[in-house]
Amino acid sequence: MSLKSAATKVVRNIVEAAPDSWMPGAKPDPLITQHKHGHKGGLIGAPISRVDGPLKVRGAAPFAAEFPVTGMLYAAVAFSTIPKGRMTELDTAAAEAAPGVRLVMTYKNAPKLKPTPIFNSKPKAAGPDDLPIMQDDRIHWNGQPIAVVLADTQEEADHAKSLIRVSYQAEPAVTHFNEALQHPRELDDIMMEPARVKVGDAEAALAAAPHRVDLTYRTPRYNHNPIELHAVTLFWDDGELYIHDASQGVVQTAWTLAQVFGLDEKQVHISSPYVGGGFGSKTLWHHHVLAAAASKLSGQPVRCVLSREGVYRTVGGRTVTEQRVAIGSDAEGHFASLIHTGTTAMTPHNNLPEQFSFPARHAYASPNLSIGQNVADMDMLANTFMRAPGESVGTFALECAVDELAEQLDIDPIELRLRNEPEKDPASGKPFSSRNVEKMFRDGAERFGWSERSSTPATRRDGEWLIGMGCAEGTYPYYRMPGAKATLTLTSDGRAVASFSAHEMGMGTATVQAQIVAERLGLTLPCVSISYGNSSIDGTVLAGGSSQTASVGAAVIAAHTELVKKLIQLAGKDSPLHGLKPDEVDTRDGGIWSLADPSRGETFAAIFHRSGQEEVTVVGDPPPPLEMMHWAMHSFSAVFVEVGVNTVTGETRVRRMLGSFDCGKILNSKTAASQFRGGMIMGVGLALMEETQWDERNGRVMNPSLAEYHVPVHMDIPEIDILWTDIPDPHAPMGAHGIGEIGITGVGAAISNAIYNACGKRVRDLPITLDKLLD
Ligand code: MOS
């Protein structure tokens, strides 16, 4: 165990044993209930349309590759075609002589660059790997950037790139997953969680159980495909670096680039007002470093938009997994043993194992547990966060196995799940902060018409289609990240501006945070504006791990408290508010009022008028997120699917889908439903279509385009019904859990289980394409 994980364990033990009252979130956020009392604006949970909607519709929301910069050059990136070895010849003469070319950068002329500190190695580290970037002739993966061409136009840059000639001396590389599996590597921890959880003797209990399943599941590589390609528009001015980026972590990107270029983090300025889809991929990759280096070398601003192929070659996605799920139970379905183990491919240069073993830690009660995972090193591009990393493929294996056990026992799969509902978190023994899985399942089952399902497969027909229903459960952890801050300004004309370094990837960040600020301050929505997506804003926020809303929300709570304190101070000794503390008052109706005596108080306007001040600005610095170590905090899903499997072609069509969610208080019913649906559509891709075709001979991605990497289109998606419990978590800011990643979680298994119910075939390796159903 590393020193860091040992230290984390000590803190964790203290926090787990501490009384509830010491925890952030010990007292429920007043917003959970205040809006019900009528004197607030009723904004929490309301179906408010996106505040950035009109800008988007008019094409007036600027993206990273749309910012005009005078004198800008266009970049094209050339990629290696072998997985490992060195370049013996790199001839750029023809490229340099091509029309419009201003610079060809290779390892021979690139400035000195330090490797990027990798994720989780430091609080603001955002590097995908710790490899040298264009510093030597070494090749580490098939697709590694080997040259950057700068030219007056994109077409000239692309053409010149095609003239680069390179010879390699290849070295033996690990490009077969099956070969890598022979040499698994144990991990100290997985994203600060223990790599293994063992309770009792799971193998012995499995062997002794009267009923058991013991199955192997495989999931393929997947790639990110945001509609907005990864792009930077950047320039240097007076030794400082300015970047228009598409980013899920502006502060982390600035800090990490500062390490690469030997700068102070404040000398790197990242702006990212809009992101055209991220899903885990819009973090820092080599093109950031290379574009900045080429700009430095050429002395001119640079725009670098990765081609779609470039995204496949240089932006990591989800890595391949092999998973074992074994469950032993008695005849009534009570689990005696739960085993979820396996291996995921990774590189020695990154540290993000696909954490597929996370969901089994929190889903079911079992006296014996063995849960954990290894990694198998391969010579490949660093994998990264992708659409509920771990959980989405981990629940595929776990929830298919539960379905197989249910069939063996002849118990309804929902009943089997509910019979094993845990009282406490199975892995840690901690109490759940909020868990309403039974209600979530029952509500979903009723609305979906689950009772119409036949438990005998291949018994429902519609012409040449066999029809089946399936369901699955999903979990995704609640995360609140440390480091978030919120700066709040209230002006004498009753307007508020809130800023935090958050990100808008299309999920409605600005809208929901405007609702929260307005509701908390008792203002109307048009009186609140939100500023975000810029590294110059105080505090650190990551749009990842479904954590952004809680992280920012806690900072807004802290800022609100500071604001009230400051306004009461400003109001002075003669104010009716004199002597009151922030938790004894409410901000509403344009002022501050005592909670005990609602007539005691005064308006913001009166306070400002008397003080002669025009505005007040405060910074909210929330307590560290200890609540997530003290309670087991998760979002939950119950996914219901009806499919048709064509008996002639083997094709699967999803006919109906329903997602029932337990994610605490839903803050905006319109943006939330949309985000849930989006996640479920990604789940259809995960289950039925998507696969990064990987050439095992040389580690080359064979389908680096949307023509050959299939994602669901409108014709593939039926009406998707969404419901939620809306039961607030008393220990979370606003009572809300993250909703970004729970949508996809469980969908893979629900579809697979529905396919089995339709046609009687179990396919345990994704994606479930028609060839696998026909053989
Ligand atoms: Mo999410 S995969 O952490 O953007």
Side-chain angles (χ1 to χ4, degrees):
M1 184 184 280
S2 70
L3 201 62
K4 194 172 154 197
S5 44
T8 310
K9 203 168 172 196
V10 170
V11 175
R12 198 174 286 261
N13 288 343
I14 295 169
V15 173
E16 279 175 20
D20 289 1
S21 60
W22 292 11
M23 291 301 123
K27 267 204 290 188
D29 182 349
L31 264 207
I32 294 171
T33 48
Q34 266 178 2
H35 68 281
K36 286 190 186 145
H37 294 171
H39 58 256
K40 286 265 180 171
L43 292 170
I44 298 298
I48 309 275
S49 291
R50 294 253 300 274
V51 294
D52 49 336
L55 278 178
K56 290 271 175 78
V57 171
R58 295 207 313 272
F63 288 81
E66 296 176 327
F67 285 90
V69 181
T70 313
M72 185 180 75
L73 299 176
Y74 293 81
V77 185
F79 313 109
S80 79
T81 54
I82 65 160
K84 192 175 180 183
R86 42 181 291 270
M87 292 175 273
T88 50
E89 200 197 340
L90 182 54
D91 180 0
T92 56
E96 278 160 43
V101 172
R102 303 292 170 155
L103 175 76
V104 179
M105 186 176 80
T106 68
Y107 73 90
K108 294 174 187 174
N109 62 345
K112 286 270 162 294
L113 305 163
K114 290 207 189 109
T116 53
I118 51 174
F119 259 114
N120 285 342
S121 63
K122 293 270 162 52
K124 294 182 195 172
D129 58 56
D130 59 3
L131 291 166
I133 304 176
M134 217 167 265
Q135 298 294 293
D136 56 34
D137 59 2
R138 303 285 320 163
I139 301 297
H140 301 272
W141 82 86
N142 198 326
Q144 175 186 316
I146 54 169
V148 177
V149 179
L150 296 186
D152 293 331
T153 68
Q154 188 68 56
E155 290 75 13
E156 288 168 330
D158 290 340
H159 171 66
K161 180 184 95 164
S162 73
L163 303 175
I164 294 171
R165 294 288 165 257
V166 56
S167 308
Y168 300 97
Q169 185 174 38
E171 293 167 13
V174 182
T175 52
H176 283 263
F177 184 45
N178 285 346
E179 184 190 325
L181 281 173
Q182 306 307 312
H183 311 283
R185 174 160 62 92
E186 292 208 0
L187 297 162
D188 275 352
D189 60 77
I190 305 170
M191 300 182 30
M192 316 277 252
E193 296 292 329
R196 316 204 140 261
V197 174
K198 274 192 185 294
V199 179
D201 187 341
E203 293 292 351
L206 179 72
H211 295 273
R212 76 184 77 97
V213 291
D214 191 346
L215 301 156
T216 302
Y217 295 87
R218 290 189 180 83
T219 63
R221 294 163 193 278
Y222 294 94
N223 263 83
H224 281 296
N225 287 284
I227 292 299
E228 179 205 27
L229 294 159
H230 289 62
V232 288
T233 302
L234 56 78
F235 59 93
W236 292 83
D237 186 18
D238 204 14
E240 305 202 358
L241 179 57
Y242 294 80
I243 308 184
H244 297 291
D245 194 7
S247 180
Q248 295 180 236
V250 285
V251 171
Q252 299 88 335
T253 300
W255 183 90
T256 308
L257 286 172
Q259 313 310 305
V260 171
F261 288 95
L263 301 169
D264 183 87
E265 64 178 310
K266 289 290 164 215
Q267 294 174 296
V268 182
H269 311 264
I270 314 259
S271 135
S272 178
Y274 301 99
V275 182
F279 319 118
S281 75
K282 291 275 174 67
T283 51
L284 171 62
W285 293 93
H286 287 198
H287 70 279
H288 287 82
V289 175
L290 294 171
S295 172
K296 198 172 183 179
L297 206 56
S298 68
Q300 283 181 264
V302 166
R303 172 172 299 163
C304 179
V305 184
L306 289 178
S307 58
R308 183 60 69 186
E309 181 193 355
V311 175
Y312 277 78
R313 302 261 179 256
T314 68
V315 174
R318 195 195 302 286
T319 186
V320 59
T321 75
E322 184 185 79
Q323 309 174 45
R324 175 192 177 206
V325 181
I327 310 170
S329 86
D330 65 15
E332 283 74 47
H334 301 110
F335 291 3
S337 176
L338 174 59
I339 298 170
H340 193 170
T341 53
T343 305
T344 173
M346 206 171 77
T347 86
H349 298 284
N350 70 315
N351 60 357
L352 295 173
E354 184 76 25
Q355 63 270 29
F356 64 77
S357 69
F358 277 16
R361 300 167 189 224
H362 314 294
Y364 300 109
S366 172
N368 298 285
L369 296 173
S370 174
I371 301 167
Q373 60 188 98
N374 295 319
V375 294
D377 290 325
M378 294 185 73
D379 292 301
M380 61 182 207
L381 167 63
N383 61 287
T384 194
F385 309 111
M386 179 166 175
R387 317 181 198 156
E391 273 78 6
S392 46
V393 286
T395 51
F396 163 66
L398 177 66
E399 292 296 297
C400 285
V402 171
D403 199 73
E404 297 208 31
L405 181 68
E407 194 198 19
Q408 189 186 123
L409 296 166
D410 198 19
I411 297 175
D412 178 89
I414 296 176
E415 291 311 316
L416 178 62
R417 288 181 172 90
L418 297 181
R419 269 177 213 183
N420 292 284
E421 257 297 278
E423 302 248 312
K424 286 184 171 180
D425 181 51
S428 65
K430 288 185 281 190
F432 286 102
S433 60
S434 172
R435 180 177 175 119
N436 307 286
V437 165
E438 174 158 9
K439 177 173 170 52
M440 170 183 88
F441 258 115
R442 300 247 186 256
D443 290 355
E446 194 190 327
R447 183 121 133 212
F448 191 70
W450 181 253
S451 58
E452 289 161 34
R453 171 181 175 269
S454 160
S455 61
T456 314
T459 47
R460 276 183 65 201
R461 237 178 204 277
D462 178 3
E464 64 189 39
W465 297 87
L466 286 166
I467 313 300
M469 287 188 198
C471 73
E473 183 176 329
T475 65
Y476 192 87
Y478 160 95
Y479 291 114
R480 177 164 77 81
M481 305 290 184
K485 285 185 188 173
T487 305
L488 194 54
T489 298
L490 185 69
T491 54
S492 58
D493 61 354
R495 308 182 81 83
V497 183
S499 37
F500 21 76
S501 68
H503 314 83
E504 176 65 271
M505 301 196 280
M507 64 286 224
T509 306
T511 311
V512 168
Q513 292 300 342
Q515 288 171 253
I516 292 169
V517 171
E519 191 74 11
R520 213 176 279 292
L521 264 58
L523 300 174
T524 60
L525 204 53
C527 290
V528 174
S529 55
I530 301 293
S531 159
Y532 64 90
N534 198 306
S535 63
S536 66
I537 297 172
D538 208 7
T540 307
V541 177
L542 181 74
S546 305
S547 67
Q548 190 168 254
T549 303
S551 305
V552 172
V556 171
I557 292 175
H560 177 244
T561 304
E562 284 305 307
L563 182 74
V564 168
K565 231 189 261 175
K566 206 152 174 182
L567 285 171
I568 293 176
Q569 216 172 46
L570 201 63
K573 283 207 175 71
D574 301 330
S575 166
L577 292 166
H578 181 66
L580 289 174
K581 298 199 175 64
D583 61 354
E584 293 169 340
V585 299
D586 188 10
T587 41
R588 59 172 167 86
D589 304 322
I592 305 180
W593 313 92
S594 160
L595 282 168
D597 173 4
S599 66
R600 180 182 167 193
E602 59 180 330
T603 61
F604 300 136
I607 298 172
F608 277 115
H609 182 75
R610 217 169 44 251
S611 73
Q613 222 160 299
E614 285 300 311
E615 61 177 51
V616 170
T617 296
V618 294
V619 177
D621 191 355
L626 300 180
E627 75 275 20
M628 62 190 214
M629 290 187 192
H630 187 73
W631 288 283
M633 301 176 79
H634 300 268
S635 291
F636 302 97
S637 67
V639 186
F640 297 82
V641 175
E642 183 179 272
V643 299
V645 176
N646 192 292
T647 50
V648 179
T649 65
E651 183 191 8
T652 299
R653 303 292 302 173
V654 178
R655 295 161 66 106
R656 290 194 298 134
M657 283 176 105
L658 179 147
S660 178
F661 297 94
D662 181 41
C663 304
K665 180 75 201 161
I666 293 301
L667 301 172
N668 179 324
S669 50
K670 188 183 250 180
T671 55
S674 184
Q675 207 172 0
F676 287 135
R677 281 196 185 96
M680 291 177 71
I681 292 167
M682 290 176 180
V684 174
L686 173 133
L688 296 178
M689 297 149 200
E690 293 185 58
E691 177 174 11
T692 304
Q693 303 281 350
W694 167 265
D695 189 334
E696 293 211 301
R697 296 166 303 178
N698 56 21
R700 192 155 180 86
V701 174
M702 297 186 287
N703 57 343
S705 78
L706 280 167
E708 293 170 288
Y709 181 102
H710 296 163
V711 297
V713 298
H714 279 286
M715 288 284 284
D716 296 315
I717 302 301
E719 194 64 36
I720 302 176
D721 201 1
I722 301 288
L723 61 156
W724 49 75
T725 58
D726 215 23
I727 300 169
D729 181 340
H731 306 305
M734 293 87 62
H737 286 185
I739 61 165
E741 285 161 284
I742 189 67
I744 186 175
T745 309
V747 176
I751 290 177
S752 172
N753 295 338
I755 289 172
Y756 176 74
N757 185 245
C759 68
K761 222 168 213 170
R762 294 275 184 196
V763 178
R764 301 191 187 93
D765 62 315
L766 292 181
I768 308 173
T769 44
L770 46 81
D771 50 306
K772 295 174 188 172
L773 290 171
L774 280 179
D775 66 11

